[in-house]
Amino acid sequence: MNQSDKRFDDAMSAPSVQSPPLTGMILAGGMARRMGGQDKGLIPYQGRPLIAHVLERLEPQVQAILINANRSHDQYAQFGHPVIADAEDGFLGPLAGILAGLRAARTELLLCVPCDSPEIGPNLAAKLASPFAQTGTRITVASCAGRLQPVFAVLHSDLSDALNDFLRRGGRKIDEFYGAQGFEEVSFENSDEFRNINTHEELTL
C-alpha cells in the first residue's frame, strides 16, 4: 500500500460530514491530446486503469455513479455503472458531459470529478454538498491553495436548461458558466487530492 492509499484508508475510517443524496459522475469524455489521443480513463496507473482508482474513492461517497465517455463504451461499462455520452456531439468539453449527467441523474445533486485524478479525498462529496442545505447555492466548486478546481464540483439538476442554453449559444468555458450562474467556493487543504495526470511522464510519479 502506498502512502496516499494509507492516508485515504485512515480518513475513510474517521467520522465524516454527512452528505445529501448525490450522483457522482466521472468525466472521461475528453480527447486527451497530451496523451496522444488515448482514452485517458483506461490508461494503466499503478497496475489498474486510472478510472478504477477514481471509482474506488468515489463509490463510498455517493448513492449512484455515472461514467461520461464518448468512446470505449463497452470497456467502461465493465466497471458496472451506466455510461453516458456527451449531450452534444463534437467533444465540446466538460460542460457537455455535465449536461448529460444532469439529465440522467436521479438525485437533485450531481458531483462531477475527472477520470485522471486518482487520489480523490474521502470527504470530497460531503464538503461540496453541504452548502446546498445551508445557503441555497446551485453550484459549489472545490478550491485548493487559492486555485479553483472547476471539474470538481456539485451542481443542482435545475441547472440543466440554463446549461443547455449556454452550450447552444456557443459557450464552452466551464468557469464562464459557473460565473454566470453564481457559485460557492469550497476550500480544501490537500493539493494531492486534486492532482491530475496529463502526460505519460506523470504516470510514473
Side-chain angles (χ1 to χ4, degrees), residues 46-154:
Q46 296 182 355
R48 295 184 294 161
L50 270 170
I51 196 170
H53 295 270
V54 178
L55 281 166
E56 180 179 56
R57 289 164 179 263
L58 188 61
E59 284 173 339
Q61 304 188 48
V62 297
Q63 284 64 50
I65 287 180
L66 302 169
I67 298 173
N68 165 234
N70 294 310
R71 49 184 170 160
S72 309
H73 284 199
D74 290 343
Q75 291 94 316
Y76 281 117
Q78 293 176 8
F79 292 97
H81 300 284
V83 180
I84 59 172
D86 285 356
E88 301 285 342
D89 294 333
F91 291 91
L92 302 183
L95 286 177
I98 292 172
L99 177 57
L102 290 173
R103 290 173 170 173
R106 296 188 177 182
T107 57
E108 287 189 344
L109 300 183
L110 179 74
L111 167 66
C112 302
V113 300
C115 69
D116 61 356
S117 291
E119 299 180 22
I120 289 171
N123 287 328
L124 177 73
K127 285 190 68 174
L128 283 175
S130 61
F132 283 80
Q134 301 168 10
T135 66
T137 187
R138 286 296 180 262
I139 303 174
T140 57
V141 183
S143 70
C144 189
R147 179 179 177 184
L148 281 179
Q149 304 289 337
V151 289
F152 293 86
V154 172

Side-chain angles (χ1 to χ4, degrees), residues 132-205:
F132 283 80
Q134 301 168 10
T135 66
T137 187
R138 286 296 180 262
I139 303 174
T140 57
V141 183
S143 70
C144 189
R147 179 179 177 184
L148 281 179
Q149 304 289 337
V151 289
F152 293 86
V154 172
L155 296 90
H156 196 282
S157 60
D158 65 9
L159 289 168
S160 61
D161 287 344
L163 180 50
N164 182 60
D165 291 343
F166 181 80
L167 289 170
R168 289 191 176 279
R169 294 195 307 269
R172 298 291 180 267
K173 294 182 178 180
I174 193 169
D175 51 351
E176 184 178 338
F177 177 73
Y178 291 168
Q181 299 300 317
F183 67 91
E184 185 165 337
E185 183 178 334
V186 180
S187 180
F188 291 78
E189 295 183 359
N190 185 0
S191 60
D192 288 343
E193 297 177 2
F194 303 99
R195 182 175 74 89
N196 67 315
I197 293 175
N198 284 313
T199 66
H200 288 286
E201 289 74 19
E202 291 172 346
L203 289 169
T204 61
L205 296 178

